[in-house]
Amino acid sequence: MDVWGDLPGQEKAITALRRAVAEGNPAHAWLFTGPPGSGRSNAARAFAAALQCQVPDPEQRGCGTCKACITVLAGTHPDVALISTEKVNYQIEDVRTLITKAQDRPSTAPWRVIIVEDADRMTERTTNVLLKSIEEPPPHTVWMLCAPSPADVLVTIRSRCRSVSLAVPTRQSVAELLVRRDGLTTEQADFAARVSQSHIGVARRLARDEQARRRRDTTVRLPLRIRSVSDAVMAAAELVELSTAEATASSTERAETEASSLRTSLGLDADSPIPPQQRSAFKALEENAKRRARRATTDALDRSLIDLTTFFRDVLVLQLRSGSELVNDYLADPLHAYANASRSEQTIAKIDAIAEARKRIWTPGNPLLTIEAMAVSLRPAK
Amino acid sequence: MAAPRGTSKNAGISWRTVAPAPMILLQGSEELLASRAFELVRAALRASGEIELTRFEAAAYERGELLLASSPSLFSETKLVEVRGLATMNEDFLNDALTYAKSPAPDVTLIMHHGGGVRGKKLLDALKAAGAVVVDCQPLKKDAEKIDFVSQEFRAAKRKLSAEGARALVAALGNDLSELGAACSQLLQDTTGIVDQDVVDKYYGGRVEATGFKVADAALAGRADIALSTLRHALATGTDPVPIVASLAMKLRQVAKVAGVRKSSGQLASELGMPPWQVQQAQEQARHWNPDDLARCIRLVAEADAQVKGASRDPEYAVERAVTQISLAARR
């Protein structure tokens, strides 16, 4: 089993990457683009593994069995750094440390590889810090940036990178992967691949986690319950609660663990007061936790809104009689009823309202109010 | 902790009765009272001849300055030394002032303001022991004290203020003593004769309790005139647009929750987890609304929320627009 096996439906990209490995002299910066869930960072990781692979024949690199391949894929290779952020945006300090690291010679392998996940989560100022390093890295350094689309990174970055675009994998290929790698039954895998719209990560979570499935189901059925303004406001409150409760709970728990371990390392008891000199350390910790929590809750909310969109997407498919498959096939009857009761323009307006809300939840606005404004637009027209 | 007024021996004399003395200590965080006391002392000294005035900030004091300022003058003028910000004094000032307190110079009036806190407690004690005059500049907390302040202001100017007028003035501007003082001087200059409630209302009416909730209540009841004037007062008194939009959103949410639901207020209160009076108020306001307008206004407030949090260059316009649209959408 070679390193490319976990990238369903990306044959075209894989061919290009294999060729780059075989030539033995890869470009110094790569930009992996593709819709969420298409496996951008996995593709970057597989490419890194193939570059570092210890097989002597360049055509056969990426064996998936040598030590280098295994450690890169497991994320423990000393010369491959996988950078991601748990906050809404990368902090500029984090990126500065990366640049220093990029100057180091690789210690064991032929290349030093730095994979930056979600390169779109950088503000312009942060990206500018990277420019110089991406343009002329030391001879043994390879940068790999991942972003949903080339338009999500600055044009100055884009022009310095060789681009690899990934396609949306087909439902069948995602289902096959879930069966093969995660040992799911065919029906489970097929359902998960369908409702997640081929988002590999989401599909796996839905297939494994009963709670996640139930949450999604409640979300998708929400439009069926909204009849009046009063229903809409209630549904909005429920949606926010449903999607953020788990994220909030887990991030609070993590913040508490961190604070108590900082106390231990500073030699403070659980209830002794924090000395003024050390208060800033705790303050920074809280600040970090707050940023992480915001990212986590907003991500969860965003996911729910995507799920909600699938309902109206299906309604639109029925109204336009396009004959495409329904994402929420198991809700076919209520979907038909809903589609017959409204017109396609109204459905499009509702999809727009959801898209507007998805944009707005990333701004500093009040999330509940944003969702309420969306929910009142989802009322059926008279 | 400020000592409770009138009970402690150290509370000091009122700022109105302050007179030049070798050492005067103004204690308390109310800047207006302290600056009035500084003015009174200055005026009293100026009335009796030329003075040489020196001012210090205790935080930026350099060693020896106090000695320099208090040493005898060539022209034998009276010397006045004003020191502000003792609460953040530096070590140099502390040491020099302690030395000075032991042997105050003749013909010098040293007046100092300490805003509160523990910094320089040693100096304060030393000053009191050395017989410094302590002047009380604690903030006025009770309405009665504020009314007393206002009446005294008018009495000092030999004008009359009716009891209702005093009460109305304190209700409108009582949060900030310096505003209250400014309002008094404006009324004294702009009007003639007795100042009563009508005069105060003319100048400061409607300013009373201008909170986001008052704005929201007026807007949801469809009273555009009241909503907008209250909004203007709220913004003018420094209320941020963000909490005003938040209260609009909250009120709309409450109305939306009860709108079109045919249940008693008690039943709704327990279902929604809201206090019964809130449910009743929301039901009352819901009578002004139809579902489509309500939906439109919720969208509008969401937009205003984004605008006041950075999406627009003019947050005040955004909130004003939201308030106008909501008031117009509600049926009177």
Side-chain angles (χ1 to χ4, degrees):
Chain A
M1 184 73 220
D2 64 10
V3 293
W4 311 107
D6 286 350
L7 298 172
Q10 310 297 353
E11 288 70 24
K12 224 174 118 193
I14 291 174
T15 319
L17 292 175
R18 267 176 184 278
R19 200 181 310 131
V21 173
E23 282 162 8
N25 186 22
H28 59 273
W30 295 73
L31 179 62
F32 287 83
T33 56
S38 56
R40 293 180 305 246
S41 57
N42 283 339
R45 214 189 294 222
F47 182 42
L51 284 177
Q52 312 284 40
C53 183
Q54 289 159 339
V55 172
D57 177 10
E59 299 284 338
Q60 299 301 317
R61 292 222 171 119
C63 62
T65 47
C66 70
K67 199 171 157 216
C69 283
I70 291 170
T71 49
V72 171
L73 292 182
T76 53
H77 194 284
D79 295 325
V80 176
L82 187 75
I83 315 296
S84 62
T85 183
E86 291 172 314
K87 301 165 195 162
V88 174
N89 281 314
Y90 278 96
Q91 305 280 96
I92 197 158
E93 300 80 39
D94 304 345
V95 176
R96 289 220 170 95
T97 55
L98 267 188
I99 289 169
T100 325
K101 201 170 176 179
Q103 298 299 320
D104 296 350
R105 275 185 74 85
S107 53
T108 59
W111 306 100
R112 168 163 297 278
V113 181
I114 301 177
I115 303 174
V116 183
E117 268 185 39
D118 298 329
D120 52 313
R121 290 188 182 277
M122 279 190 204
T123 57
E124 189 172 330
R125 203 168 84 110
T126 315
T127 325
N128 283 336
V129 172
L130 271 183
L131 276 181
K132 182 72 186 148
S133 190
I134 287 192
E135 182 164 32
E136 286 181 339
H140 295 281
T141 299
V142 177
W143 287 89
M144 298 184 190
L145 309 182
C146 309
S149 92
D152 287 328
V153 295
L154 278 188
V155 65
T156 38
I157 291 277
R158 214 186 307 157
S159 65
R160 285 161 167 78
C161 295
R162 185 170 159 190
S163 147
V164 178
S165 51
L166 303 177
V168 181
T170 58
R171 199 179 88 214
Q172 286 81 3
S173 59
V174 172
E176 269 166 39
L177 176 76
L178 291 176
V179 171
R180 179 162 51 77
R181 192 179 59 184
D182 300 301
L184 301 172
T185 64
T186 321
E187 296 90 74
Q188 275 176 330
D190 193 60
F191 173 80
R194 181 197 285 269
V195 296
S196 68
Q197 294 176 287
S198 299
H199 187 305
I200 303 172
V202 173
R204 186 164 55 203
R205 205 181 60 237
L206 281 177
R208 280 181 177 170
D209 184 354
E210 164 73 30
Q211 282 250 301
R213 256 195 322 266
R214 209 172 314 142
R215 257 202 309 273
R216 184 186 182 281
D217 185 51
T218 319
T219 309
V220 175
R221 284 175 194 267
L222 220 53
L224 298 170
R225 284 169 30 205
I226 298 180
R227 310 227 61 92
S228 68
V229 175
S230 172
D231 297 340
V233 174
M234 304 285 196
E238 196 186 324
L239 183 66
V240 171
E241 169 70 25
L242 197 71
S243 15
T244 56
E246 198 187 81
T248 317
S250 68
S251 45
T252 324
E253 194 180 314
R254 184 163 157 205
E256 276 164 15
T257 328
E258 279 181 349
S260 78
S261 76
L262 180 60
R263 273 175 177 275
T264 318
S265 59
L266 291 174
L268 296 170
D269 285 337
D271 43 356
S272 61
I274 300 165
Q277 303 89 325
Q278 276 145 10
R279 244 170 243 159
S280 67
F282 282 89
K283 191 96 190 133
L285 206 65
E286 268 171 39
E287 201 61 28
N288 250 336
K290 218 182 278 169
R291 283 166 195 262
R292 270 201 322 256
R294 174 155 155 64
R295 163 84 189 272
T297 50
T298 315
D299 269 349
L301 205 52
D302 192 46
R303 188 65 231 161
S304 299
L305 293 182
I306 294 174
D307 289 338
L308 199 57
T309 315
T310 63
F311 179 91
F312 291 103
R313 180 253 178 215
D314 287 348
V315 170
L316 194 62
V317 163
L318 293 175
Q319 284 169 338
L320 299 178
R321 302 180 203 290
S322 75
S324 310
E325 282 191 6
L326 295 184
V327 173
N328 300 293
D329 202 23
Y330 72 107
L331 289 175
D333 289 344
L335 279 171
H336 273 286
Y338 199 98
N340 290 335
S342 61
R343 291 194 310 276
S344 54
E345 308 92 89
Q346 293 162 343
T347 312
I348 290 174
K350 285 170 189 167
I351 293 176
D352 283 347
I354 301 177
E356 174 70 28
R358 276 190 67 199
K359 224 182 297 163
R360 222 176 249 170
I361 51 173
W362 292 101
T363 65
N366 176 353
L368 178 58
L369 184 56
T370 306
I371 301 299
E372 278 171 353
M374 176 202 78
V376 293
S377 313
L378 301 185
R379 290 174 306 145
K382 271 173 256 144
Chain B
M1 261 298 281
R5 283 161 41 80
T7 52
S8 160
K9 270 183 208 153
N10 294 338
I13 61 167
S14 156
W15 62 273
R16 285 182 199 278
T17 58
V18 71
M23 287 190 286
I24 305 171
L25 175 62
L26 313 174
Q27 241 186 323
S29 58
E30 188 53 69
E31 292 286 340
L32 178 77
L33 299 186
S35 69
R36 289 284 178 88
F38 276 120
E39 270 166 37
L40 277 176
V41 171
R42 216 180 297 141
L45 285 173
R46 282 213 170 107
S48 58
E50 286 285 293
I51 61 165
E52 191 184 320
L53 171 63
T54 320
R55 288 191 177 124
F56 295 131
E57 271 302 325
Y61 175 84
E62 279 174 29
R63 199 163 59 182
E65 281 182 324
L66 184 58
L67 189 66
L68 204 66
S70 61
S71 43
S73 154
L74 190 58
F75 306 105
S76 72
E77 289 160 326
T78 317
K79 292 202 156 201
L80 172 61
V81 182
E82 296 183 354
V83 190
R84 288 180 172 79
L86 258 65
T88 54
M89 71 174 91
N90 57 21
E91 284 301 308
D92 288 339
F93 181 79
L94 180 63
N95 294 332
D96 281 9
L98 280 172
T99 321
Y100 183 86
K102 282 183 204 132
S103 56
D107 294 331
V108 173
T109 300
L110 173 62
I111 174 164
M112 295 162 285
H113 177 218
H114 190 279
V118 291
R119 179 84 185 134
K121 178 146 194 322
K122 200 166 138 200
L123 175 61
L124 299 189
D125 291 343
L127 286 170
K128 283 172 195 163
V133 178
V134 179
V135 179
D136 174 31
C137 297
Q138 297 296 345
L140 307 181
K141 293 230 172 60
K142 297 183 200 123
D143 274 359
E145 290 168 358
K146 291 174 190 162
I147 290 175
D148 188 46
F149 170 82
V150 176
S151 322
Q152 298 242 25
E153 291 282 301
F154 276 78
R155 206 170 305 147
K158 302 202 167 48
R159 290 279 297 278
K160 269 197 80 108
L161 172 70
S162 73
E164 291 80 30
R167 223 169 290 135
L169 202 51
V170 170
L173 300 159
N175 288 334
D176 185 349
L177 197 65
S178 50
E179 273 209 58
L180 203 54
C184 286
S185 68
Q186 186 181 25
L187 284 175
L188 286 171
Q189 282 173 16
D190 285 11
T191 62
T192 50
I194 297 175
V195 175
D196 55 13
Q197 190 167 5
D198 288 345
V199 180
V200 175
D201 274 349
K202 194 154 128 202
Y203 279 77
Y204 299 106
R207 195 125 167 197
V208 195
E209 304 158 299
T211 62
F213 286 117
K214 292 276 168 190
V215 178
D217 279 335
L220 262 78
R223 308 186 72 88
D225 48 346
I226 297 178
L228 283 173
S229 69
T230 318
L231 173 69
R232 275 285 145 209
H233 276 306
L235 291 173
T237 46
T239 311
D240 197 71
V242 173
I244 299 180
V245 173
S247 21
L248 283 174
M250 201 186 120
K251 291 279 175 188
L252 277 175
R253 183 175 304 141
Q254 287 171 355
V255 169
K257 278 183 181 173
V258 301
V261 184
R262 296 193 188 286
K263 283 178 188 162
S264 77
S265 57
Q267 210 178 342
L268 269 173
S270 62
E271 273 176 29
L272 300 174
M274 277 160 55
W277 64 266
Q278 226 172 38
V279 175
Q280 274 163 13
Q281 196 189 26
Q283 281 177 325
E284 176 71 21
Q285 283 168 338
R287 289 193 293 119
H288 296 291
W289 288 88
N290 72 42
D292 286 333
D293 286 335
L294 199 54
R296 187 165 58 81
C297 285
I298 290 178
R299 282 196 292 264
L300 197 84
V301 171
E303 198 182 317
D305 183 55
Q307 283 171 344
V308 298
K309 287 176 181 166
S312 152
R313 264 194 224 158
D314 191 348
E316 293 194 1
Y317 169 73
V319 60
E320 195 170 277
R321 178 166 170 267
V323 168
T324 316
Q325 300 269 345
I326 292 173
S327 327
L328 294 179
R331 284 165 304 172
R332 290 283 302 269

